[in-house]
């Protein structure tokens, strides 16, 4: 009889536990309720007078249009597949001067040539698969990407893992990525038939990155995060069509264009470290404050500081505006010098002002519309949110740029 009672008790316990597990699985919230589609578009323009293609002096005029589609597909309660594809079509006055004589007018570093290098299209495709644990405290993902341009091809892959604990108030994460790139080296036209010119013998470039993250909900109104990123690059880190002119070599001027003495030559390794932190404060139901700071350093001699602030202001239940400001400062690389200031005896040299000492300011404003119920529809998709932003960027070197971007988020009914 005692054994029978024990068996009944164990059976009832097993049934109750099994029923609780079934109820947990039955009512488990899906990571993504339905398929979502994001359509993004950006339009970028810039102007300046320090083009690296023409040795650090010349037009930097450029326009770029990038449409992007991101499709997030729930495979089941726990797994999501994200497909991200984009096409970046640009027109560059500076890169057109890879061959400045391919034009009817006089060759001039401040005038765009009509050559084939004036226009290009960069196509990228990325697929990401993510899985969340039943308690939603662990999330891992893997990704693969491919990118192609007329002189450049890249394949990438990586993964990430995040762990939430302390009642989901704390999160630690790690991510790693590898990019295997290949150049199809294009050289300045005047150097291609120069017997003294030495082409690069290795046109590959590999990049390896490791990122660590930590975030913490500090109070009902305050959240902070820290990040550390390590990047190792190897291979052809120079841009083959960027000219360099030497101060100890007589200038050769054809028409109104100073011919290059060589192309940019940089070390074949580079190690980068970036450390950053974010602090978000919820002031009240109408205003929040988002701040960010990052310190960057590498073994090429560049050190930089980035600081930004954004103030989301809720003006109605559905509309929010986003004024923002970003400041950036960096020191110049060990191998940088402006137009016609390098010496031919140097091993490494560049006149790319992206590697110079400069300060930059960026001013932005945005507006977003959010409807969590997605009442507006296009075919079988409900419109969940709309976002438009404008940013103005300026450097003390004279470069300035405008960026217009927008996005629409749809979810399938």
């Amino acid at each position: 009889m005692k054994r029978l009672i024990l068996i009944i008790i164990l059976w009832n316990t097993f049934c109750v536990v099994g029923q609780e597990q079934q109820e947990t699985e039955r009512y488990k919230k899906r990571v993504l309720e339905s398929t979502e589609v994001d359509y993004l578009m950006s339009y970028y323009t810039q102007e300046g007078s320090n083009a690296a293609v023409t040795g650090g002096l010349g037009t930097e005029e450029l326009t770029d249009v990038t449409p992007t589609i991101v499709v997030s597909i729930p495979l089941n309660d726990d797994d999501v597949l994200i497909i991200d594809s984009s096409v970046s079509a640009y027109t560059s006055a500076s890169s057109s001067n890879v061959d400045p004589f391919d034009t009817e007018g006089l060759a001039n570093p401040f005038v765009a040539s009509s050559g084939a290098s004036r226009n290009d299209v960069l196509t990228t495709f990325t697929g990401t698969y993510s899985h969340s644990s039943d308690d939603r405290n662990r999330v891992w993902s893997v990704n693969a990407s491919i990118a192609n341009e007329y002189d450049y091809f890249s394949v990438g892959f990586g993964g990430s893992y995040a762990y939430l604990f302390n009642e989901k108030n704390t999160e630690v994460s790690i991510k790693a990525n590898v990019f295997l790139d290949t150049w199809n080296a294009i050289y300045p036209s005047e150097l291609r038939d120069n017997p003294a010119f030495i082409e690069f013998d290795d046109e590959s470039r590999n990049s390896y990155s490791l990122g660590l993250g930590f975030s913490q909900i500090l109070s009902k109104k305050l959240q902070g995060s820290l990040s550390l990123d390590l990047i190792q690059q190897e291979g052809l880190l120079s841009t083959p069509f960027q000219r360099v002119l030497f101060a100890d070599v007589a200038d050769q001027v054809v028409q109104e264009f100073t011919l290059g003495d060589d192309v940019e030559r940089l070390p074949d390794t580079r190690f980068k470290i970036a450390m950053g932190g974010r602090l978000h404060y919820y002031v009240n139901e109408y205003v929040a404050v988002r701040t960010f700071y990052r310190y960057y350093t590498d073994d090429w001699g560049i050190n930089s500081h980035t600081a930004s602030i954004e103030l989301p202001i809720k003006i109605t239940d559905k509309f929010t505006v986003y004024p923002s400001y970003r400041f950036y400062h960096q020191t110049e690389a060990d191998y940088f010098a402006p137009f016609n200031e390098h010496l031919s005896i140097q091993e490494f040299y560049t006149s790319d002002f992206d590697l110079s000492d400069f300060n930059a300011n960026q001013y932005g404003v945005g507006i977003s519309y959010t409807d969590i119920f997605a009442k507006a529809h296009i075919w079988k998709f409900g419109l969940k949110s709309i976002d438009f932003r404008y940013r103005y960027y300026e450097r003390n070197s004279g470069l300035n740029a405008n960026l217009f971007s927008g996005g629409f988020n749809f979810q399938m009914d």
Side-chain angles (χ1 to χ4, degrees):
M1 180 63 70
K2 290 182 179 179
R3 289 184 179 180
L4 179 59
I5 294 174
L6 179 60
I7 291 172
I8 293 173
I9 293 173
L10 290 175
W11 175 255
N12 288 335
T13 302
F14 174 79
C15 291
V16 170
V17 171
Q19 183 177 1
E20 288 178 349
Q21 289 177 344
Q22 290 176 359
E23 292 294 325
T24 300
E25 293 176 358
R26 184 180 306 168
Y27 296 106
K28 179 171 60 176
K29 183 176 176 61
R30 293 168 66 91
V31 175
L32 184 65
E33 292 296 335
S34 60
T35 298
E36 294 191 358
V37 177
D38 289 282
Y39 176 73
L40 312 172
M41 174 68 78
S42 68
Y43 175 72
Y44 174 85
T45 66
Q46 75 172 36
E47 294 180 348
S49 57
N50 298 116
V53 176
T54 47
L57 184 65
T59 178
E60 294 179 87
E61 182 181 350
L62 180 148
T63 62
D64 180 272
V65 178
T66 305
T68 301
I69 295 179
V70 182
V71 182
S72 302
I73 306 169
L75 303 178
N76 50 51
D77 288 351
D78 306 322
D79 302 326
V80 177
L81 175 64
I82 301 174
I83 301 172
D84 183 334
S85 59
S86 67
V87 177
S88 176
Y90 76 85
T91 300
S92 171
S94 62
S95 65
S96 72
N97 281 319
V98 171
D99 184 357
F101 307 104
D102 188 9
T103 184
E104 295 180 357
L106 294 176
N108 186 300
F110 291 96
V111 177
S113 167
S114 58
S117 56
R118 177 179 174 84
N119 304 293
D120 192 24
V121 174
L122 170 65
T123 303
T124 62
F125 179 89
T126 303
T128 303
Y129 168 80
S130 67
H131 172 80
S132 299
S133 62
D134 288 339
D135 59 9
R136 302 297 184 250
N137 286 332
R138 295 173 296 279
V139 182
W140 62 263
S141 70
V142 292
N143 66 79
S145 64
I146 187 170
N148 185 63
E149 201 173 0
Y150 83 105
D151 63 341
Y152 175 83
F153 179 79
S154 175
V155 173
F157 55 90
S160 67
Y161 177 78
Y163 176 57
L164 291 82
F165 58 97
N166 188 23
E167 298 182 345
K168 296 187 179 353
N169 289 319
T170 307
E171 178 181 337
V172 293
S173 62
I174 183 171
K175 60 181 180 180
N177 286 282
V178 175
F179 294 96
L180 308 176
D181 309 337
T182 302
W183 288 91
N184 177 22
I186 307 294
Y187 300 102
S189 57
E190 69 271 22
L191 297 176
R192 297 170 192 171
D193 298 323
N194 185 340
F197 175 68
I198 301 175
E199 297 185 358
F200 295 106
D201 56 5
D202 181 6
E203 296 186 353
S204 66
R205 177 179 63 190
N206 300 334
S207 301
Y208 312 93
S209 67
L210 176 67
L212 303 174
F214 171 82
S215 66
Q216 177 68 48
I217 297 177
L218 302 170
S219 70
K220 291 182 178 180
K221 293 188 174 184
L222 189 63
Q223 179 181 3
S225 65
L226 298 171
S227 63
L228 172 65
D229 292 288
L230 308 174
I231 301 174
Q232 175 68 33
Q233 292 183 297
E234 301 172 352
L236 180 53
L237 306 184
S238 309
T239 303
F241 53 77
Q242 294 187 168
R243 294 175 174 84
V244 169
L245 286 88
F246 298 131
D248 56 342
V249 175
D251 290 344
Q252 300 181 60
V253 180
V254 176
Q255 298 178 15
E256 298 175 351
F257 193 92
T258 305
L259 303 183
D261 295 317
D262 199 359
V263 296
E264 172 184 86
R265 296 189 185 272
L266 294 167
D268 57 7
T269 63
R270 187 179 187 182
F271 183 65
K272 308 176 182 180
I273 302 175
M275 297 172 286
R278 297 181 184 273
L279 201 60
H280 294 175
Y281 182 69
Y282 177 82
V283 179
N284 53 43
E285 60 181 318
Y286 300 106
V287 181
V289 180
R290 299 172 181 171
T291 61
F292 170 74
Y293 171 77
R294 181 184 64 194
Y295 172 73
Y296 166 91
T297 185
D298 64 29
D299 56 2
W300 285 8
I302 292 180
N303 298 289
S304 73
H305 302 271
T306 305
S308 67
I309 183 170
E310 184 179 64
L311 299 173
I313 303 171
K314 192 172 184 178
I315 54 179
T316 71
D317 290 340
K318 295 182 178 180
F319 287 93
T320 304
V321 294
Y322 299 85
S324 64
Y325 170 73
R326 176 180 178 271
F327 172 78
Y328 178 81
H329 167 74
Q330 78 169 35
T331 60
E332 70 180 27
D334 297 335
Y335 320 111
F336 171 81
F339 180 82
N340 221 358
E341 292 190 18
H342 281 291
L343 298 177
S344 59
I345 59 173
Q346 294 175 297
E347 181 180 7
F348 302 117
Y349 32 77
T350 178
S351 293
D352 185 348
F353 271 71
D354 286 346
L355 301 178
S356 70
D357 180 286
F358 66 86
N359 296 327
N361 296 281
Q362 179 178 280
Y363 310 90
V365 64
I367 185 168
S368 69
Y369 164 86
T370 303
D371 178 9
I372 60 174
F373 300 107
K375 294 180 179 179
H377 281 73
I378 297 178
W379 193 46
K380 295 183 180 180
F381 291 89
L383 179 59
K384 191 174 180 179
S385 65
I386 305 174
D387 184 82
F388 291 106
R389 293 175 183 258
Y390 167 72
R391 299 177 183 88
Y392 175 73
Y393 173 86
E394 61 178 4
R395 290 183 187 175
N396 59 353
S397 63
L399 177 72
N400 61 79
N402 296 275
L403 174 62
F404 301 86
S405 61
F408 298 83
N409 176 262
F410 298 92
Q411 66 177 14
M412 180 176 287
D413 293 338

